[in-house]
Amino acid sequence: MDLGLKGKVAIVTGSAQGIGRVVARTFAQEGANVVIADIQEDKGKAVAQECQALGVKALFVRTDVTKYEDVENLVKTAVKEMGKVDALVHDAATFVIGPFRRLPRDTWNKVINICLFGAMNCGHAVAEPMAAQKKGHIVFVGSDAGRIGDASQTAYSAAKGGIMAFSKSLAQELGPSGITVNVLSPGLTLTAENTELMEKLIGKEGDEKRQRVCSLYALRKLGTAEDVANVAVFLASDRAGHVTGQVLSVSGGYSMVG
Ligand SMILES: NC(=O)c1ccc[n+]([C@@H]2O[C@H](COP(=O)([O-])OP(=O)(O)OC[C@H]3O[C@@H](n4cnc5c(N)ncnc54)[C@H](O)[C@@H]3O)[C@@H](O)[C@H]2O)c1
């Protein structure tokens, strides 16, 4: 199926590495021009070059999603340089693991600020140009931790659950302007950058601990950045134009919320 993304313009936050980088690359493979937004400048520029090598326009805009002026500048630059914004995939996030009773207050603030306020800043800033063109697709990257909870990830789960509630309200507000808003909710996902972290948390491939974790997934395996990126790009395309206000898990059946 042709997703019809050729010549479209997509902003991807948190795209200097990990899932976001693969989302940006997948857009480029589909012929969409991409705007890479991240706080990591060198890596972000490298991803823009990677996308350009696939034959599309790509640019990096240094953006801290917690700063509204940065996000405003991101959207203005995208419109100025690329002519419009058809899609936003908001992927930027951070997480912290540990028991809530021992989690310093500053840490919750940081997680909520990046994950939840970052999403709200980005959703707010793209709404204007999308409403003016009476069309647009917004995809927030959530987490199954925000759908069903995770004992060691309270602040992160709160932020991701907040994104889900926010996106449903935003979908209702922006629907009459032709804008879709959805959340893609990954389970544990392997990326080029998190191999070491995953091994520390759940053991290596073949280890008993990792097998125990995988047994919580209906498909008995963890996801890859490509698994998530394919669905993100689909939700950001006109092919998913009648889907809005939804939370879609891309987690191999880790959570099956009706
Ligand atoms: N990898 C997983 O197992 C997993 C599971 C569930 C959900 N997710 C979600 O998927 C998304 C991507 O995860 P990942 O594993 O690729 O993460 P990652 O840490 O590799 O990438 C996150 C990116 O966000 C950027 N970022 C952080 N703070 C920022 C800020 N203030 N402004 C702009 N950019 C900022 C980072 O620089 C980085 O490039 C996140 O939303 C994450 O919560 C990941």
Side-chain angles (χ1 to χ4, degrees):
M1 173 169 61
D2 178 4
L3 292 179
L5 285 165
K6 204 165 189 309
K8 302 278 185 184
V9 177
I11 293 176
V12 187
T13 71
S15 47
Q17 67 172 54
I19 293 171
R21 172 174 163 243
V22 181
V23 171
R25 211 172 55 204
T26 308
F27 270 121
Q29 282 162 347
E30 293 296 318
N33 301 314
V34 275
V35 183
I36 312 299
D38 206 292
I39 45 173
Q40 298 190 77
E41 200 148 346
D42 290 348
K43 284 185 172 184
K45 284 180 178 166
V47 175
Q49 282 173 0
E50 218 180 299
C51 294
Q52 285 160 4
L54 290 163
V56 298
K57 284 192 218 159
L59 70 110
F60 169 75
V61 183
R62 194 197 178 282
T63 311
D64 179 342
V65 296
T66 67
K67 296 187 175 144
Y68 192 77
E69 61 274 21
D70 274 20
V71 176
E72 220 174 10
N73 173 60
L74 165 69
V75 175
K76 277 190 182 146
T77 307
V79 172
K80 186 166 164 252
E81 300 294 327
M82 305 280 198
K84 56 181 179 167
V85 179
D86 297 297
L88 162 75
V89 175
H90 173 71
D91 164 276
T94 190
F95 75 99
V96 61
I97 295 177
F100 186 52
R101 284 183 297 168
R102 289 195 215 112
L103 219 54
R105 188 72 167 73
D106 284 357
T107 314
W108 327 344
N109 275 349
K110 187 178 172 202
V111 173
I112 302 280
N113 207 12
I114 295 175
C115 295
L116 180 56
F117 289 143
M120 293 174 80
N121 285 338
C122 291
H124 191 271
V126 292
E128 217 47 61
M130 285 182 177
Q133 68 204 19
K134 297 217 169 309
K135 202 171 175 187
H137 303 295
I138 298 175
V139 180
F140 294 113
V141 179
S143 167
D144 270 5
R147 283 197 105 173
I148 59 170
D150 190 322
S152 58
Q153 297 191 48
T154 43
Y156 177 76
S157 301
K160 294 294 191 175
I163 286 180
M164 290 170 199
F166 164 63
S167 73
K168 290 178 189 199
S169 299
L170 193 64
Q172 291 191 16
E173 262 192 45
L174 299 184
S177 302
I179 302 167
T180 66
V181 186
N182 292 291
V183 176
L184 182 164
S185 180
L188 275 180
T189 305
L190 304 168
T191 70
E193 289 79 9
N194 70 9
T195 312
E196 213 173 293
L197 175 70
M198 285 289 185
E199 286 178 359
K200 205 171 125 197
L201 293 175
I202 60 167
K204 291 188 180 169
E205 183 91 53
D207 284 0
E208 206 189 311
K209 189 174 176 190
R210 187 173 288 211
Q211 278 168 6
R212 259 201 323 273
V213 172
C214 287
S215 73
L216 301 172
Y217 290 68
L219 295 178
R220 299 292 187 268
K221 63 184 175 77
L222 305 181
T224 64
E226 285 74 15
D227 290 329
V228 178
N230 288 337
V231 180
V233 168
F234 167 67
L235 286 175
S237 77
D238 289 350
R239 294 290 189 178
H242 205 52
V243 180
T244 197
Q246 304 304 307
V247 178
L248 178 57
S249 281
V250 183
S251 64
Y254 177 66
S255 75
M256 297 187 187
V257 184

PDB file of all heavy atoms in Angstrom, residues 14 16-19 38-40 63-66 91-93 114 141-143 156 160 186-189 191 194 198, ligand 1:
ATOM      1  N   GLY A  14      12.549  14.158  19.234  1.00  0.00           N
ATOM      2  CA  GLY A  14      13.301  13.049  19.840  1.00  0.00           C
ATOM      3  C   GLY A  14      13.899  12.124  18.797  1.00  0.00           C
ATOM      4  O   GLY A  14      14.073  10.929  19.042  1.00  0.00           O
ATOM      5  N   ALA A  16      16.917  12.241  17.253  1.00  0.00           N
ATOM      6  CA  ALA A  16      18.377  12.122  17.099  1.00  0.00           C
ATOM      7  C   ALA A  16      18.839  10.686  17.295  1.00  0.00           C
ATOM      8  O   ALA A  16      19.952  10.329  16.891  1.00  0.00           O
ATOM      9  CB  ALA A  16      19.082  13.045  18.097  1.00  0.00           C
ATOM     10  N   GLN A  17      18.010   9.885  17.924  1.00  0.00           N
ATOM     11  CA  GLN A  17      18.396   8.481  18.158  1.00  0.00           C
ATOM     12  C   GLN A  17      17.138   7.634  18.422  1.00  0.00           C
ATOM     13  O   GLN A  17      16.012   8.137  18.441  1.00  0.00           O
ATOM     14  CB  GLN A  17      19.344   8.369  19.349  1.00  0.00           C
ATOM     15  CG  GLN A  17      18.703   8.723  20.684  1.00  0.00           C
ATOM     16  CD  GLN A  17      19.619   8.417  21.872  1.00  0.00           C
ATOM     17  OE1 GLN A  17      20.748   8.870  21.921  1.00  0.00           O
ATOM     18  NE2 GLN A  17      19.111   7.621  22.819  1.00  0.00           N
ATOM     19  N   GLY A  18      17.379   6.350  18.631  1.00  0.00           N
ATOM     20  CA  GLY A  18      16.314   5.448  19.079  1.00  0.00           C
ATOM     21  C   GLY A  18      15.146   5.331  18.107  1.00  0.00           C
ATOM     22  O   GLY A  18      15.303   5.402  16.882  1.00  0.00           O
ATOM     23  N   ILE A  19      13.974   5.170  18.661  1.00  0.00           N
ATOM     24  CA  ILE A  19      12.754   4.983  17.857  1.00  0.00           C
ATOM     25  C   ILE A  19      12.531   6.200  16.947  1.00  0.00           C
ATOM     26  O   ILE A  19      12.209   6.057  15.771  1.00  0.00           O
ATOM     27  CB  ILE A  19      11.532   4.757  18.778  1.00  0.00           C
ATOM     28  CG1 ILE A  19      11.660   3.415  19.513  1.00  0.00           C
ATOM     29  CG2 ILE A  19      10.230   4.801  17.972  1.00  0.00           C
ATOM     30  CD1 ILE A  19      10.619   3.184  20.610  1.00  0.00           C
ATOM     31  N   ASP A  38      15.477  17.793  18.269  1.00  0.00           N
ATOM     32  CA  ASP A  38      16.056  17.100  19.427  1.00  0.00           C
ATOM     33  C   ASP A  38      16.999  18.080  20.131  1.00  0.00           C
ATOM     34  O   ASP A  38      17.341  19.123  19.592  1.00  0.00           O
ATOM     35  CB  ASP A  38      16.838  15.855  18.958  1.00  0.00           C
ATOM     36  CG  ASP A  38      16.939  14.774  20.026  1.00  0.00           C
ATOM     37  OD1 ASP A  38      17.633  14.992  21.058  1.00  0.00           O
ATOM     38  OD2 ASP A  38      16.320  13.702  19.856  1.00  0.00           O
ATOM     39  N   ILE A  39      17.403  17.700  21.347  1.00  0.00           N
ATOM     40  CA  ILE A  39      18.409  18.516  22.047  1.00  0.00           C
ATOM     41  C   ILE A  39      19.822  18.072  21.685  1.00  0.00           C
ATOM     42  O   ILE A  39      20.775  18.769  21.975  1.00  0.00           O
ATOM     43  CB  ILE A  39      18.226  18.463  23.590  1.00  0.00           C
ATOM     44  CG1 ILE A  39      17.986  17.026  24.054  1.00  0.00           C
ATOM     45  CG2 ILE A  39      17.110  19.377  24.053  1.00  0.00           C
ATOM     46  CD1 ILE A  39      17.954  16.853  25.565  1.00  0.00           C
ATOM     47  N   GLN A  40      19.954  16.916  21.074  1.00  0.00           N
ATOM     48  CA  GLN A  40      21.289  16.403  20.709  1.00  0.00           C
ATOM     49  C   GLN A  40      21.631  16.859  19.283  1.00  0.00           C
ATOM     50  O   GLN A  40      21.134  16.290  18.305  1.00  0.00           O
ATOM     51  CB  GLN A  40      21.307  14.885  20.757  1.00  0.00           C
ATOM     52  CG  GLN A  40      21.018  14.298  22.119  1.00  0.00           C
ATOM     53  CD  GLN A  40      21.307  12.816  22.128  1.00  0.00           C
ATOM     54  OE1 GLN A  40      22.448  12.396  22.199  1.00  0.00           O
ATOM     55  NE2 GLN A  40      20.267  12.008  22.016  1.00  0.00           N
ATOM     56  N   THR A  63      15.858  21.655  19.373  1.00  0.00           N
ATOM     57  CA  THR A  63      14.608  21.956  20.084  1.00  0.00           C
ATOM     58  C   THR A  63      14.576  21.249  21.431  1.00  0.00           C
ATOM     59  O   THR A  63      14.719  20.023  21.494  1.00  0.00           O
ATOM     60  CB  THR A  63      13.392  21.443  19.262  1.00  0.00           C
ATOM     61  OG1 THR A  63      13.505  21.884  17.914  1.00  0.00           O
ATOM     62  CG2 THR A  63      12.083  21.910  19.862  1.00  0.00           C
ATOM     63  N   ASP A  64      14.373  22.040  22.475  1.00  0.00           N
ATOM     64  CA  ASP A  64      14.083  21.453  23.776  1.00  0.00           C
ATOM     65  C   ASP A  64      12.567  21.516  23.913  1.00  0.00           C
ATOM     66  O   ASP A  64      11.999  22.618  24.021  1.00  0.00           O
ATOM     67  CB  ASP A  64      14.780  22.256  24.884  1.00  0.00           C
ATOM     68  CG  ASP A  64      14.486  21.700  26.269  1.00  0.00           C
ATOM     69  OD1 ASP A  64      13.509  20.928  26.424  1.00  0.00           O
ATOM     70  OD2 ASP A  64      15.220  22.043  27.209  1.00  0.00           O
ATOM     71  N   VAL A  65      11.913  20.362  23.898  1.00  0.00           N
ATOM     72  CA  VAL A  65      10.439  20.361  23.857  1.00  0.00           C
ATOM     73  C   VAL A  65       9.802  20.929  25.112  1.00  0.00           C
ATOM     74  O   VAL A  65       8.608  21.233  25.122  1.00  0.00           O
ATOM     75  CB  VAL A  65       9.853  18.947  23.559  1.00  0.00           C
ATOM     76  CG1 VAL A  65      10.260  18.460  22.187  1.00  0.00           C
ATOM     77  CG2 VAL A  65      10.224  17.947  24.655  1.00  0.00           C
ATOM     78  N   THR A  66      10.590  21.103  26.174  1.00  0.00           N
ATOM     79  CA  THR A  66      10.028  21.698  27.395  1.00  0.00           C
ATOM     80  C   THR A  66       9.938  23.222  27.276  1.00  0.00           C
ATOM     81  O   THR A  66       9.298  23.871  28.101  1.00  0.00           O
ATOM     82  CB  THR A  66      10.860  21.348  28.651  1.00  0.00           C
ATOM     83  OG1 THR A  66      12.137  21.975  28.552  1.00  0.00           O
ATOM     84  CG2 THR A  66      11.030  19.851  28.814  1.00  0.00           C
ATOM     85  N   ASP A  91       7.988  12.137  19.877  1.00  0.00           N
ATOM     86  CA  ASP A  91       8.609  10.934  20.446  1.00  0.00           C
ATOM     87  C   ASP A  91       9.526  11.265  21.627  1.00  0.00           C
ATOM     88  O   ASP A  91       9.839  10.403  22.438  1.00  0.00           O
ATOM     89  CB  ASP A  91       9.404  10.261  19.303  1.00  0.00           C
ATOM     90  CG  ASP A  91      10.406   9.230  19.758  1.00  0.00           C
ATOM     91  OD1 ASP A  91      11.535   9.615  20.125  1.00  0.00           O
ATOM     92  OD2 ASP A  91      10.072   8.038  19.753  1.00  0.00           O
ATOM     93  N   ALA A  92       9.934  12.533  21.749  1.00  0.00           N
ATOM     94  CA  ALA A  92      10.920  12.921  22.769  1.00  0.00           C
ATOM     95  C   ALA A  92      10.433  12.545  24.165  1.00  0.00           C
ATOM     96  O   ALA A  92       9.275  12.768  24.511  1.00  0.00           O
ATOM     97  CB  ALA A  92      11.182  14.422  22.701  1.00  0.00           C
ATOM     98  N   ALA A  93      11.320  11.962  24.947  1.00  0.00           N
ATOM     99  CA  ALA A  93      10.931  11.535  26.290  1.00  0.00           C
ATOM    100  C   ALA A  93      12.169  11.221  27.105  1.00  0.00           C
ATOM    101  O   ALA A  93      13.285  11.137  26.582  1.00  0.00           O
ATOM    102  CB  ALA A  93      10.049  10.282  26.213  1.00  0.00           C
ATOM    103  N   ILE A 114       9.250  16.875  30.475  1.00  0.00           N
ATOM    104  CA  ILE A 114       9.669  16.456  29.123  1.00  0.00           C
ATOM    105  C   ILE A 114       8.548  15.664  28.442  1.00  0.00           C
ATOM    106  O   ILE A 114       8.160  15.968  27.316  1.00  0.00           O
ATOM    107  CB  ILE A 114      10.974  15.623  29.170  1.00  0.00           C
ATOM    108  CG1 ILE A 114      12.140  16.481  29.669  1.00  0.00           C
ATOM    109  CG2 ILE A 114      11.300  15.045  27.781  1.00  0.00           C
ATOM    110  CD1 ILE A 114      13.447  15.752  29.862  1.00  0.00           C
ATOM    111  N   VAL A 141       3.926   9.552  20.985  1.00  0.00           N
ATOM    112  CA  VAL A 141       4.421   8.237  21.408  1.00  0.00           C
ATOM    113  C   VAL A 141       4.198   8.129  22.920  1.00  0.00           C
ATOM    114  O   VAL A 141       4.706   8.943  23.694  1.00  0.00           O
ATOM    115  CB  VAL A 141       5.903   8.040  21.041  1.00  0.00           C
ATOM    116  CG1 VAL A 141       6.387   6.674  21.525  1.00  0.00           C
ATOM    117  CG2 VAL A 141       6.097   8.167  19.521  1.00  0.00           C
ATOM    118  N   GLY A 142       3.381   7.164  23.303  1.00  0.00           N
ATOM    119  CA  GLY A 142       3.101   6.934  24.723  1.00  0.00           C
ATOM    120  C   GLY A 142       3.954   5.799  25.239  1.00  0.00           C
ATOM    121  O   GLY A 142       5.134   5.678  24.905  1.00  0.00           O
ATOM    122  N   SER A 143       3.326   4.921  26.020  1.00  0.00           N
ATOM    123  CA  SER A 143       4.006   3.716  26.521  1.00  0.00           C
ATOM    124  C   SER A 143       2.942   2.856  27.186  1.00  0.00           C
ATOM    125  O   SER A 143       2.021   3.391  27.817  1.00  0.00           O
ATOM    126  CB  SER A 143       5.056   4.090  27.559  1.00  0.00           C
ATOM    127  OG  SER A 143       5.484   2.929  28.251  1.00  0.00           O
ATOM    128  N   TYR A 156       6.887   8.325  35.103  1.00  0.00           N
ATOM    129  CA  TYR A 156       6.839   8.096  33.650  1.00  0.00           C
ATOM    130  C   TYR A 156       5.442   7.625  33.238  1.00  0.00           C
ATOM    131  O   TYR A 156       4.871   8.116  32.256  1.00  0.00           O
ATOM    132  CB  TYR A 156       7.905   7.056  33.318  1.00  0.00           C
ATOM    133  CG  TYR A 156       7.983   6.613  31.876  1.00  0.00           C
ATOM    134  CD1 TYR A 156       8.566   7.420  30.901  1.00  0.00           C
ATOM    135  CD2 TYR A 156       7.516   5.346  31.493  1.00  0.00           C
ATOM    136  CE1 TYR A 156       8.665   6.991  29.581  1.00  0.00           C
ATOM    137  CE2 TYR A 156       7.617   4.906  30.184  1.00  0.00           C
ATOM    138  CZ  TYR A 156       8.188   5.734  29.226  1.00  0.00           C
ATOM    139  OH  TYR A 156       8.291   5.306  27.932  1.00  0.00           O
ATOM    140  N   LYS A 160       2.877   9.477  30.698  1.00  0.00           N
ATOM    141  CA  LYS A 160       2.390   8.824  29.470  1.00  0.00           C
ATOM    142  C   LYS A 160       0.864   8.647  29.515  1.00  0.00           C
ATOM    143  O   LYS A 160       0.183   8.782  28.504  1.00  0.00           O
ATOM    144  CB  LYS A 160       3.094   7.478  29.277  1.00  0.00           C
ATOM    145  CG  LYS A 160       4.603   7.606  29.004  1.00  0.00           C
ATOM    146  CD  LYS A 160       4.886   8.292  27.674  1.00  0.00           C
ATOM    147  CE  LYS A 160       6.347   8.187  27.285  1.00  0.00           C
ATOM    148  NZ  LYS A 160       6.640   8.742  25.954  1.00  0.00           N
ATOM    149  N   PRO A 186       4.132   1.928  22.744  1.00  0.00           N
ATOM    150  CA  PRO A 186       5.035   0.765  22.656  1.00  0.00           C
ATOM    151  C   PRO A 186       5.152   0.028  23.987  1.00  0.00           C
ATOM    152  O   PRO A 186       4.937   0.598  25.056  1.00  0.00           O
ATOM    153  CB  PRO A 186       6.404   1.379  22.305  1.00  0.00           C
ATOM    154  CG  PRO A 186       6.158   2.826  22.018  1.00  0.00           C
ATOM    155  CD  PRO A 186       4.893   3.192  22.723  1.00  0.00           C
ATOM    156  N   GLY A 187       5.502  -1.253  23.888  1.00  0.00           N
ATOM    157  CA  GLY A 187       6.000  -2.000  25.045  1.00  0.00           C
ATOM    158  C   GLY A 187       7.511  -1.898  24.987  1.00  0.00           C
ATOM    159  O   GLY A 187       8.063  -1.051  24.277  1.00  0.00           O
ATOM    160  N   LEU A 188       8.196  -2.777  25.703  1.00  0.00           N
ATOM    161  CA  LEU A 188       9.669  -2.738  25.649  1.00  0.00           C
ATOM    162  C   LEU A 188      10.115  -2.874  24.200  1.00  0.00           C
ATOM    163  O   LEU A 188       9.685  -3.776  23.485  1.00  0.00           O
ATOM    164  CB  LEU A 188      10.262  -3.881  26.473  1.00  0.00           C
ATOM    165  CG  LEU A 188      10.436  -3.645  27.971  1.00  0.00           C
ATOM    166  CD1 LEU A 188      11.037  -4.871  28.626  1.00  0.00           C
ATOM    167  CD2 LEU A 188      11.274  -2.405  28.263  1.00  0.00           C
ATOM    168  N   THR A 189      10.976  -1.964  23.785  1.00  0.00           N
ATOM    169  CA  THR A 189      11.374  -1.898  22.384  1.00  0.00           C
ATOM    170  C   THR A 189      12.895  -1.797  22.270  1.00  0.00           C
ATOM    171  O   THR A 189      13.519  -0.942  22.908  1.00  0.00           O
ATOM    172  CB  THR A 189      10.734  -0.645  21.729  1.00  0.00           C
ATOM    173  OG1 THR A 189       9.316  -0.700  21.925  1.00  0.00           O
ATOM    174  CG2 THR A 189      11.028  -0.591  20.245  1.00  0.00           C
ATOM    175  N   THR A 191      16.289  -0.798  20.607  1.00  0.00           N
ATOM    176  CA  THR A 191      16.778   0.200  19.646  1.00  0.00           C
ATOM    177  C   THR A 191      18.292   0.033  19.515  1.00  0.00           C
ATOM    178  O   THR A 191      18.917  -0.690  20.308  1.00  0.00           O
ATOM    179  CB  THR A 191      16.474   1.645  20.121  1.00  0.00           C
ATOM    180  OG1 THR A 191      17.306   1.943  21.250  1.00  0.00           O
ATOM    181  CG2 THR A 191      15.020   1.838  20.492  1.00  0.00           C
ATOM    182  N   ASN A 194      19.810   1.201  22.977  1.00  0.00           N
ATOM    183  CA  ASN A 194      19.500   0.734  24.339  1.00  0.00           C
ATOM    184  C   ASN A 194      19.893  -0.711  24.643  1.00  0.00           C
ATOM    185  O   ASN A 194      19.440  -1.269  25.647  1.00  0.00           O
ATOM    186  CB  ASN A 194      18.024   1.006  24.690  1.00  0.00           C
ATOM    187  CG  ASN A 194      17.050   0.119  23.911  1.00  0.00           C
ATOM    188  OD1 ASN A 194      17.451  -0.819  23.226  1.00  0.00           O
ATOM    189  ND2 ASN A 194      15.772   0.409  24.030  1.00  0.00           N
ATOM    190  N   MET A 198      19.088  -2.503  28.181  1.00  0.00           N
ATOM    191  CA  MET A 198      18.172  -3.658  28.190  1.00  0.00           C
ATOM    192  C   MET A 198      18.854  -4.861  28.846  1.00  0.00           C
ATOM    193  O   MET A 198      18.243  -5.585  29.626  1.00  0.00           O
ATOM    194  CB  MET A 198      17.755  -4.025  26.765  1.00  0.00           C
ATOM    195  CG  MET A 198      16.760  -3.071  26.178  1.00  0.00           C
ATOM    196  SD  MET A 198      15.130  -3.231  26.956  1.00  0.00           S
ATOM    197  CE  MET A 198      14.191  -2.117  25.955  1.00  0.00           C
TER     198      MET A 198
HETATM  199  N1  LIG B   1      12.459   1.866  24.069  1.00  0.00           N
HETATM  200  C1  LIG B   1      11.458   1.389  24.802  1.00  0.00           C
HETATM  201  O1  LIG B   1      11.520   0.277  25.365  1.00  0.00           O
HETATM  202  C2  LIG B   1      10.181   2.186  24.950  1.00  0.00           C
HETATM  203  C3  LIG B   1       9.077   1.587  25.558  1.00  0.00           C
HETATM  204  C4  LIG B   1       7.883   2.299  25.673  1.00  0.00           C
HETATM  205  C5  LIG B   1       7.811   3.595  25.196  1.00  0.00           C
HETATM  206  N2  LIG B   1       8.919   4.164  24.627  1.00  0.00           N
HETATM  207  C6  LIG B   1       8.798   5.541  24.151  1.00  0.00           C
HETATM  208  O2  LIG B   1       9.290   5.628  22.832  1.00  0.00           O
HETATM  209  C7  LIG B   1       9.931   6.880  22.635  1.00  0.00           C
HETATM  210  C8  LIG B   1      11.358   6.688  22.170  1.00  0.00           C
HETATM  211  O3  LIG B   1      12.060   5.841  23.062  1.00  0.00           O
HETATM  212  P1  LIG B   1      13.598   5.496  22.813  1.00  0.00           P
HETATM  213  O4  LIG B   1      13.866   4.222  23.498  1.00  0.00           O
HETATM  214  O5  LIG B   1      13.922   5.639  21.386  1.00  0.00           O
HETATM  215  O6  LIG B   1      14.281   6.669  23.674  1.00  0.00           O
HETATM  216  P2  LIG B   1      15.690   7.396  23.536  1.00  0.00           P
HETATM  217  O7  LIG B   1      16.056   7.852  24.898  1.00  0.00           O
HETATM  218  O8  LIG B   1      16.675   6.558  22.801  1.00  0.00           O
HETATM  219  O9  LIG B   1      15.358   8.676  22.637  1.00  0.00           O
HETATM  220  C9  LIG B   1      14.688   9.775  23.168  1.00  0.00           C
HETATM  221  C10 LIG B   1      15.119  11.015  22.405  1.00  0.00           C
HETATM  222  O10 LIG B   1      14.462  12.147  22.999  1.00  0.00           O
HETATM  223  C11 LIG B   1      15.394  13.202  23.077  1.00  0.00           C
HETATM  224  N3  LIG B   1      15.008  14.143  24.132  1.00  0.00           N
HETATM  225  C12 LIG B   1      15.055  13.966  25.475  1.00  0.00           C
HETATM  226  N4  LIG B   1      14.675  15.093  26.091  1.00  0.00           N
HETATM  227  C13 LIG B   1      14.367  15.997  25.133  1.00  0.00           C
HETATM  228  C14 LIG B   1      13.917  17.337  25.157  1.00  0.00           C
HETATM  229  N5  LIG B   1      13.709  18.004  26.313  1.00  0.00           N
HETATM  230  N6  LIG B   1      13.690  17.962  23.992  1.00  0.00           N
HETATM  231  C15 LIG B   1      13.899  17.308  22.807  1.00  0.00           C
HETATM  232  N7  LIG B   1      14.346  16.043  22.729  1.00  0.00           N
HETATM  233  C16 LIG B   1      14.580  15.405  23.886  1.00  0.00           C
HETATM  234  C17 LIG B   1      16.718  12.518  23.391  1.00  0.00           C
HETATM  235  O11 LIG B   1      17.821  13.365  23.107  1.00  0.00           O
HETATM  236  C18 LIG B   1      16.635  11.288  22.501  1.00  0.00           C
HETATM  237  O12 LIG B   1      17.174  11.551  21.220  1.00  0.00           O
HETATM  238  C19 LIG B   1       9.796   7.630  23.950  1.00  0.00           C
HETATM  239  O13 LIG B   1       8.630   8.420  23.921  1.00  0.00           O
HETATM  240  C20 LIG B   1       9.641   6.515  24.957  1.00  0.00           C
HETATM  241  O14 LIG B   1       8.995   6.925  26.137  1.00  0.00           O
HETATM  242  C21 LIG B   1      10.092   3.494  24.500  1.00  0.00           C
END
